[in-house]
Structures are given as C-alpha cells and as structure tokens.
Amino acid sequence: MLVRDAIGYALADMGVSTVFGVVGSGNFHFTNAMIERGARFVAARHEGGAATMADAYARMSGEVGVLSLHQGCGYTNAITGIAEAAKSNTPLLVLTAEATEPTSNFFIDQEGIGNGVGAVSMRVRSPLTALDDVTRAFNLCRDGQRTVVLNVPLDVQDMPFQGDTAKRTYVRPAAPQPASDEVARFAELILSAERPVFVAGRGSRSRGSKEAVQVLAEQAGALVATSAVARGMFNDDPWSIDVSGGFSSPLTAELIAGADLIVGFGCALNMWTMRHGKLIAEDASVVQIDTNPTAIGRHRDVTLGLFGGVAETAKATSAWLEARGMTHREGYRTAEVKSRIETGLRWNQVAFDDESGDGLIDPRTLSATLNTMLPTERIVSVDSGNFLGYPSMYLDVPDEHGFCFTQAFQSVGLGLATGLGAALAQPRRLPVVACGDGGFLMGISELETAVRLKLPLLVVVYNDSMYGAEVHHFGTDGPPLDSVTFPDTDIAAIARGYGCEAATVRNVTDLHPVESWLAADPDRPFVIDAKIVSREGSWWLQEAFGH
C-alpha cells in the first residue's frame, strides 16, 4: 500500500463521509481511496466553489468538512474559500497535493499561503509518520474548530507506507472551565442587572450550550438573541428577540440598546453584531465568554471576560445562583416586553411602503412574499452584497441549522456554492440561495453542479444590474460608475441553458411558477431573476462603510 492510499483510507475510517473538490493528477489517488472506503465525492466545477461547499457543509452538518485539491493552481483557486473558512473557525480539512521541486510549474509556498490566510499549515512528513500527521490534522479541525491545510508532497504520496495501519484514537479535550472567582463576578453582575440581554454566537452551537444558556437566561430574567451566523437558535424560546446587529428589527435594536447588561456567549461582539457599538448603552456592563482568550476584548472593551466553554460557564453560573436561592428573576421579562415581542418583533410584522413599479419589484416585497410561499423546513444561504439583508431579515429559518452565512471575509460570489454545501448537509430541507446578479455570475459554474446533483435548489437573484454596494457607496453625484454598472442580463435564459427552471420576476404575480415547481417534487434547481428596485444603499452597508 502506498502513502496516498493509506491517507484516504484513514480519513474514511475516521468518519469522513463527504469530500468536495476538483480532481487533478496530484489528488487523484487519495481521493479515490476515500471513495473506495465509502466516502461520497462531490465534484465541483471550480476549486473555489468546492472550498465554499465544504465550508458550508461543515457549518450545517456538524462534521469536519473535507476539501481535496490538486497542487499549485488547484490550491490557489480555492484560497478565497479557505480564507472565509479560516476566519469563521470552520472545522475544515484542506487535503492538497504539494509539489516540492522548485523546477515544477506547480511549485509555490503552499505552507506560507495557508498560514497567511489564517489557516493552520501542516504536512505529511514521511511514510512512517503519514497516519499520525493526518490524524493530528483531522483532530485539530474537529476539536480545535480550525481550518487546517494538510500538504501531501507528491514524492511522499508515491512511497510505500511504512507505518502502523491501526486506527489512531485521541480523546477529545474538554472545554475549559471558567475560574470560580470570575463566575462569582459574572453572577454578581447578573444580580445587579435589571435588563440583561444574552447574545449567542457560533461558539454556542456546541452540544448542550443552547440549553445551558436558556436556563441561565431564565434565572437572570434575560432576553436572548443571536449573532447573524447563529440565527434561529432560540426560535423556540418565547423570550427570543432574534438577531442582534445590522439585521435587527427596530424593536430588537431598541431592546438591546436598552439593556444594562450584555453578555456575549461565543460571540465576537464585533461591529456587525453591535452596530459599531450603537447597541451598547453607555452605562451597560459587557461580558464576553469564549474558549479563545485572544478573542475576548478584541473588538471592544469588556467589563468582564471569561475564558471558558459556553455550556461550562453557563452551568457554573447557574449553579452559583441556585446555591443562593436564585432560580428565577423577572428582569427584562416583563409582560409589556412580552406583548411587544409577540406583536412587533419580526421584520415581516413591520409595515413598509411597497416601491414596486416600472417593471421592478421591491426586494422587501419579493422576500416577504417568498417567505409565505416556501415551506417552513428550509435552509437559507446568502451571498454578500447590498441586497443581503433582505433575505436575511424576511426569510424565516426553522433553527440555527437553517441559515448559512459565509460573510467573515465579505467576499462576493460565494453564495451559490454555499447553498450547495448547505443543501447536502441538510437534505430534508428546501435549500434557498440568495445572490446579487454580480455574485451569481461570479459563481455560476456551480449551477451545473446543482443540476448534475439534481438538487431542488431555489436560487433568488436580486438583480439590479450593478455591484450595488459600490454604486451606492460612491453615489450618483460622485465619480463615473461605468466600472460597476452593467447592461441588463437575462439570467433566467442563462439558467435554462444550464438545465434549470427559471422565471423573470418583475411583480408578485411572476412568482406563480415557483409554486408550481414546489408542488412538483422538484429534482432540479429553479432560478428567479428578480429585477429589483435598488435606489439607495442599505443601512447595514452604510454602517460598514462608515457613512
């Protein structure tokens, strides 16, 4: 057995069920070895798409995502997706062949590139250490929530395997426990607060964390919210106020800004989640809980930072309070607040003036109408751009596994591939992808992948024939905008050419074909080319650009 086969077999034996990639000569053999052992290989049309699919799959499945790449150019084609995953702490294993001879056309500093985008670069060192190297990399992804680039040198791949084929076993390290004196300080801040708000981020998605935070929130009388990436986590909680940050409804923003204690559980409390600090009252105490000590206080000063797991910290604080007879406080959970949450929390409960007309549909009208049309069991993925708040605000999701938001790198063009990875991770839900026309056309090669896989994927293209973020940022009274505006493109016709069903939508009536598609138990994508009203920059991007 050669090293390349031993690597593929070992990963499949570790539980790798799905692998994304584009196969070339360098990754051909270890990819086939994984397939031989039962892993599913999803062949993308571009390595960039494969990287984003693997990232989204990991986020929505709870598994380690695996990406298989050819050396050199295959690896560099995937870099934007790898950077997004690394910035998001996605457990993604990038298994890439590596040319080690400087005379090779494929030779580059793959290790340096991986480190440069925030991933952890590792290497299969020899035939003797190969399985130890692979196991260490896989466990760092799984247990450390890191994106790891594992370089597999071509010469080592072709050598006879010399190590022990026995499966390596490693005990998962427990999440850190917070210091007892810090737990006491946290509990005292809770006792002194009258209007506490808990904000849970991706770090709260580990097993048992949601329930532990909810128990503590009841003791504290706290309202519960999430960052955008954890949207839907508290849907079943009557004291949930949905998403904190740029996508907050007016009521959510008001309630968070009125808090005298804000607690971030596995949440960065960054400019997006706190609207550049506008959601934090001047006299509010701020607590941040994270397993990464360097994350605490990175984006803003905090009153108290606790190094510990979300569930571990919440449980320890609950125990401290319970030991002192505190099992329930009213806090922010008043009858008045409850009534307001029930009647005016969601964006779909907020009235707006429909600006549809002249052959264009208001993106709010489009999104709100689709929300009533689509089944509850859905998984929504969103690309980046001026449009992104509309689907994020108006399309409801069933839980935290129903919203995939690859926005840490703010790259346009990841949406379609994100939707494919999410769809494969949650096959029992209708996958919905929201893109701008620019991002959709950037990633359009993966539309063929969706057709080939027979995915019932609904792609909503918010088409304003421009890169709207740039147009609205620089304004019509500024420099020429020819470089970021384009002729109207018949995206529906292009989608049909790929084998999709499609419709051009200029008003609500034009959405009727979507209902027919849904009723037919579809096995191919449907693309909506929505010609939208786009007269001004969205407020979430105005905040990002600082105006």
Side-chain angles (χ1 to χ4, degrees):
M1 179 169 57
L2 301 182
V3 169
R4 63 201 189 196
D5 302 311
I7 289 171
Y9 296 156
L11 284 169
D13 290 345
M14 288 177 203
V16 172
S17 65
T18 305
V19 182
F20 299 84
V22 175
V23 168
S25 59
N27 63 328
F28 181 83
H29 295 290
F30 57 67
T31 301
N32 280 342
M34 286 185 277
I35 296 170
E36 184 181 332
R37 281 289 169 93
R40 178 187 188 182
F41 179 67
V42 179
R45 284 300 191 174
H46 190 276
E47 290 89 352
T52 302
M53 289 181 210
D55 179 6
Y57 181 86
R59 297 181 195 224
M60 295 293 103
S61 68
E63 300 177 20
V64 173
V66 179
L67 173 64
S68 176
L69 300 174
H70 184 271
Q71 66 273 19
C73 50
Y75 175 57
T76 57
N77 275 347
I79 286 299
T80 297
I82 294 170
E84 166 64 36
K87 282 179 171 288
S88 298
N89 293 319
T90 299
L92 174 65
L93 178 63
V94 181
L95 193 65
T96 177
E98 181 185 33
T100 55
E101 288 295 328
T103 55
S104 169
N105 285 354
F106 297 119
F107 179 79
I108 53 172
D109 182 6
Q110 294 190 180
E111 180 179 6
I113 292 171
N115 291 333
V117 298
V120 178
S121 289
M122 301 176 68
R123 179 172 286 109
V124 173
R125 296 168 292 171
S126 73
L128 188 62
T129 66
L131 292 198
D132 290 317
D133 297 332
V134 171
T135 306
R136 284 176 54 241
F138 182 83
N139 281 282
L140 182 55
C141 294
R142 185 194 66 186
D143 301 332
Q145 297 294 294
R146 296 298 301 275
T147 293
V148 177
V149 175
L150 182 62
N151 294 284
V152 188
L154 294 172
D155 54 349
V156 175
Q157 280 194 53
D158 294 335
M159 294 178 182
F161 176 66
Q162 298 175 7
D164 183 355
T165 58
K167 182 179 179 181
R168 275 64 170 166
T169 57
Y170 292 82
V171 177
R172 291 195 183 200
Q177 293 283 344
S180 57
D181 59 330
E182 292 180 343
V183 169
R185 286 185 61 197
F186 181 27
E188 288 164 359
L189 286 171
I190 288 175
L191 290 174
S192 63
E194 296 180 359
R195 299 177 305 282
V197 171
F198 291 177
V199 184
R202 253 184 98 189
S204 299
R205 292 177 59 171
S206 58
R207 183 173 297 175
S209 294
K210 169 187 169 182
E211 293 77 11
V213 170
Q214 286 179 300
V215 169
L216 182 59
E218 182 175 356
Q219 290 174 283
L223 305 180
V224 289
T226 71
S227 64
V229 292
R231 184 180 176 219
M233 179 179 292
F234 297 123
N235 277 0
D236 59 350
D237 193 309
W239 296 102
S240 169
I241 54 173
D242 202 27
V243 176
S244 174
F247 301 150
S248 295
S249 70
L251 178 57
T252 299
E254 177 190 332
L255 292 171
I256 296 173
D260 56 1
L261 172 65
I262 293 177
V263 184
F265 288 90
C267 172
L269 299 177
N270 58 24
M271 67 176 186
W272 301 106
T273 309
M274 290 290 119
R275 288 192 177 179
H276 288 272
K278 295 176 183 177
L279 295 184
I280 302 176
E282 289 186 7
D283 59 347
S285 298
V286 179
V287 176
Q288 188 177 359
I289 299 154
D290 210 292
T291 55
N292 179 3
T294 66
I296 297 173
R298 179 183 298 170
H299 295 281
R300 63 190 62 261
D301 293 337
V302 296
T303 309
L304 174 65
L306 291 96
F307 171 56
V310 168
E312 290 73 15
T313 303
K315 289 177 180 178
T317 310
S318 287
W320 193 99
L321 292 170
E322 189 172 348
R324 288 153 183 83
M326 179 61 68
T327 59
H328 174 77
R329 298 175 70 218
E330 180 181 67
Y332 222 164
R333 300 186 171 198
T334 65
E336 178 190 358
V337 169
K338 180 69 175 296
S339 176
R340 297 186 70 195
I341 288 174
E342 291 174 345
T343 59
L345 180 75
R346 297 167 58 248
W347 274 105
N348 286 301
Q349 296 171 312
V350 179
F352 63 88
D353 294 327
D354 188 351
E355 297 182 1
S356 302
D358 298 326
L360 302 175
I361 187 169
D362 189 315
R364 297 168 296 181
T365 302
L366 169 70
S367 305
T369 304
L370 285 172
N371 190 57
T372 63
M373 186 181 295
L374 303 179
T376 302
E377 285 298 309
R378 64 185 74 156
I379 182 163
V380 178
S381 302
V382 183
D383 205 343
S384 191
N386 187 64
F387 75 94
L388 69 86
Y390 301 117
S392 300
M393 295 184 304
Y394 287 95
L395 296 183
D396 295 329
V397 296
D399 54 34
E400 69 271 29
H401 302 293
F403 189 62
C404 198
F405 197 63
T406 47
Q407 298 289 331
F409 202 23
Q410 271 186 270
S411 174
V412 173
L414 305 186
L416 183 56
T418 296
L420 267 66
L424 294 171
Q426 296 287 336
R428 293 179 179 84
R429 294 181 170 180
L430 176 75
V432 181
V433 175
C435 303
D437 52 296
F440 176 74
L441 293 171
M442 275 189 189
I444 198 170
S445 60
E446 302 309 341
L447 196 59
E448 187 278 334
T449 305
V451 172
R452 175 166 29 94
L453 296 176
K454 297 183 178 181
L455 293 177
L457 182 73
L458 180 65
V459 183
V460 187
V461 182
Y462 291 75
N463 186 357
D464 58 6
S465 299
M466 59 187 173
Y467 289 120
E470 283 66 34
V471 168
H472 297 309
H473 174 52
F474 292 106
T476 55
D477 297 329
L481 298 172
D482 296 347
S483 60
V484 288
T485 56
F486 302 89
D488 181 46
T489 301
D490 190 347
I491 286 175
I494 295 172
R496 293 187 190 100
Y498 274 89
C500 303
E501 293 188 46
T504 300
V505 172
R506 299 179 182 276
N507 54 59
V508 171
T509 303
D510 293 336
L511 288 170
H512 289 331
V514 177
E515 294 178 307
S516 301
W517 174 77
L518 288 169
D521 192 20
D523 62 357
R524 61 173 175 165
F526 192 110
V527 175
I528 296 174
D529 179 9
K531 310 298 187 180
I532 64 165
V533 176
S534 182
R535 298 194 180 102
E536 60 185 9
S538 57
W539 75 80
W540 51 88
L541 282 183
Q542 289 177 21
E543 290 179 350
F545 286 138
H547 63 235

